């Protein structure tokens, strides 16, 4: 059965501004304001889900969604790197970072490999066709959105590193297991004045 999956990345927070690896930090005041202003532009859906992180939960709440946390939508599990800044890890473990970026099966941080993340995102995405189709809207961390796109379009895992998912962007996939179409992300919140 055909399903339309709409993935919204959560709003900005301090950890994202500092280029930290996954960490369960709440939204900051700016992210909360942007999310509330985007609430009126959230598309209609039949089912609502969100990742279990504080950031996803607060984004879903601020958008006015009556959504359910779903463990499969959790952020990329980066083991001992979780919460650290990318520049810190790059300086202290340059070989490990290089191996991680080059090998989709590598997990020098002790967490989930890129292949594992893509498989988890793909299993969740493909399971949605088992229901009655319809429209599913989920607030999910950017890494999960990127992994879902890689799976849906059967891209090589290295394409993950070439995909950007902005805060409060909407990425739409429609289809079913084995055949997905992509509508690239569009911002829910208005662009900030420059």
């Amino acid at each position: 059965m055909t399903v339309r999956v709409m993935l919204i990345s959560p709003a900005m927070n301090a950890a994202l501004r500092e280029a930290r690896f996954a960490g369960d930090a709440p939204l900051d005041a700016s992210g909360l304001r942007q999310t509330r202003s985007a609430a009126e532009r959230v598309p209609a859906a039949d089912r609502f889900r969100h990742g279990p992180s504080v950031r996803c939960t607060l984004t879903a709440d601020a958008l006015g969604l009556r959504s359910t946390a779903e463990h499969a939508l959790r952020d990329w599990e980066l083991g001992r790197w979780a919460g650290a800044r990318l520049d810190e890890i790059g300086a202290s473990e340059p070989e490990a970072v290089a191996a991680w970026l080059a090998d989709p099966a590598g997990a020098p941080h002790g967490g989930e490999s890129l292949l594992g993340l893509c498989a988890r995102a793909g299993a969740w995405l493909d399971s949605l066709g088992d229901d009655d189709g319809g429209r599913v809207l989920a607030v999910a961390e950017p890494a999960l959105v990127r992994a879902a796109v890689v799976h849906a379009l059967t891209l090589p895992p290295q394409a993950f590193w070439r995909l950007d998912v902005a805060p409060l962007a909407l990425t739409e996939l429609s289809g079913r297991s084995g055949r997905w179409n992509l509508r690239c992300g569009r911002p829910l919140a208005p662009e900030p004045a420059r």
Side-chain angles (χ1 to χ4, degrees), residues 102-181:
D103 180 7
H109 42 65
E112 188 175 29
S113 71
L114 175 57
L115 291 178
L117 172 66
C118 291
R120 174 167 49 92
W124 175 79
L125 187 63
D126 291 343
S127 76
L128 298 175
D130 296 341
D131 295 327
D132 296 329
R135 297 167 297 175
V136 178
L137 189 140
V139 177
E141 295 289 347
L144 195 287
V145 174
R146 293 160 63 192
V149 169
V150 166
H151 172 81
L153 300 181
T154 61
L155 298 173
Q158 295 81 359
F160 175 91
W161 302 113
R162 300 288 187 232
L163 300 172
D164 289 327
V165 177
L168 292 176
L170 175 66
T171 301
E172 297 176 69
L173 296 164
S174 61
R176 61 190 175 283
S177 180
R179 187 184 180 284
W180 292 98
N181 296 315

Side-chain angles (χ1 to χ4, degrees), residues 23-165:
D24 200 6
L27 301 181
D28 58 23
S30 172
L32 192 55
R33 268 193 314 277
Q34 285 184 327
T35 305
R36 288 181 178 144
S37 73
E40 65 191 32
R41 288 182 292 287
V42 172
D46 304 310
R47 293 176 278 162
F48 298 90
R49 303 287 185 267
H50 65 268
S53 70
V54 171
R55 186 175 142 191
C56 285
T57 301
L58 292 175
T59 297
D61 290 347
L63 289 172
L65 305 179
R66 302 186 91 185
S67 62
T68 304
E70 190 154 330
H71 187 66
L73 297 176
R74 67 192 179 279
D75 203 359
W76 195 353
E77 297 172 1
L78 295 173
R80 62 187 165 75
W81 291 356
R85 287 192 357 217
L86 176 59
D87 62 346
E88 295 169 345
I89 298 298
S92 66
E93 301 182 48
E95 296 86 15
V97 171
W100 177 62
L101 294 171
D103 180 7
H109 42 65
E112 188 175 29
S113 71
L114 175 57
L115 291 178
L117 172 66
C118 291
R120 174 167 49 92
W124 175 79
L125 187 63
D126 291 343
S127 76
L128 298 175
D130 296 341
D131 295 327
D132 296 329
R135 297 167 297 175
V136 178
L137 189 140
V139 177
E141 295 289 347
L144 195 287
V145 174
R146 293 160 63 192
V149 169
V150 166
H151 172 81
L153 300 181
T154 61
L155 298 173
Q158 295 81 359
F160 175 91
W161 302 113
R162 300 288 187 232
L163 300 172
D164 289 327
V165 177

